[in-house]
Amino acid sequence: MKVNVIISPEVHEAYAEIHTDKMTEDISRIVDMLSTEAVPVTARAGEELVVLKPEDIFMVRVENGDTVIYGEKRSFRSPKRLYELASQLGNKFMQISKSTLINLSYMDSIEPGFSGTLLLKLKNGSKDYVSRKYLPEFKKYLGL
């Protein structure tokens, strides 16, 4: 795919145009990526209310009915459900199981797991399994 970036002082808000002969899966993915804006998330660390940028979040997991957000060194609790956070955080996040959402930017390594799953390790030491239901989309993202 050919890409051109044109910088002009007359343009006040960035926009993108895609010229193609047909809509493909790759183009749909690029459109989704460009049109999804991530917004900050509020969460609690004890009594403290914290505003987290999506790039501060490594993983979101539902544990015993609570939504836990993992940062580089700390974890936070959110009153939101996993699907709400998934839509709020944008396209740099992917659901890898019924209860886990990961920031794709912080993947560290992948190991074979049990029963056809994969064990995904993040750069902050967090890890979780990519379940078989979410495995095809995850492999597609990795180009496998």
Side-chain angles (χ1 to χ4, degrees):
M1 178 184 297
K2 187 172 102 175
V3 177
N4 292 326
V5 177
I6 301 167
I7 300 171
S8 172
E10 292 91 38
V11 176
H12 298 290
E13 183 178 349
Y15 68 95
E17 289 182 0
I18 298 173
H19 300 263
T20 183
D21 63 337
K22 64 182 176 187
M23 183 58 100
T24 64
E25 224 174 278
D26 286 339
I27 292 173
S28 291
R29 193 177 5 214
I30 290 167
V31 169
D32 286 343
M33 207 165 51
L34 291 173
S35 62
T36 304
E37 278 191 51
V39 291
V41 172
T42 55
R44 292 204 172 273
E47 293 298 314
E48 177 184 17
L49 184 63
V50 181
V51 178
L52 300 168
K53 294 180 278 190
E55 58 267 19
D56 297 333
I57 299 171
F58 281 65
M59 178 171 65
V60 181
R61 185 168 32 200
V62 177
E63 299 173 355
N64 300 320
D66 291 333
T67 305
V68 181
I69 299 173
Y70 290 90
E72 187 171 8
K73 296 180 180 164
R74 297 172 63 191
S75 63
F76 309 90
R77 301 242 183 256
S78 172
K80 293 195 174 183
R81 300 180 65 89
L82 193 65
Y83 75 90
E84 293 172 311
L85 289 171
S87 65
Q88 186 175 356
L89 289 170
N91 53 22
K92 291 189 179 181
F93 287 79
M94 178 182 280
Q95 190 161 355
I96 61 165
S97 70
K98 186 172 133 183
S99 60
T100 306
L101 188 67
I102 56 128
N103 187 332
L104 296 165
S105 304
Y106 296 125
M107 289 191 299
D108 189 36
S109 64
I110 303 164
E111 297 175 5
F114 61 92
S115 300
T117 63
L118 293 176
L119 178 62
L120 174 66
K121 295 181 181 179
L122 300 176
K123 292 181 180 177
N124 69 344
S126 297
K127 53 188 168 184
D128 206 341
Y129 287 94
V130 180
S131 71
R132 286 182 291 170
K133 176 182 177 182
Y134 295 93
L135 198 56
E137 186 66 27
F138 185 71
K139 284 184 171 181
K140 185 176 173 183
Y141 171 78
L142 294 176
L144 300 175

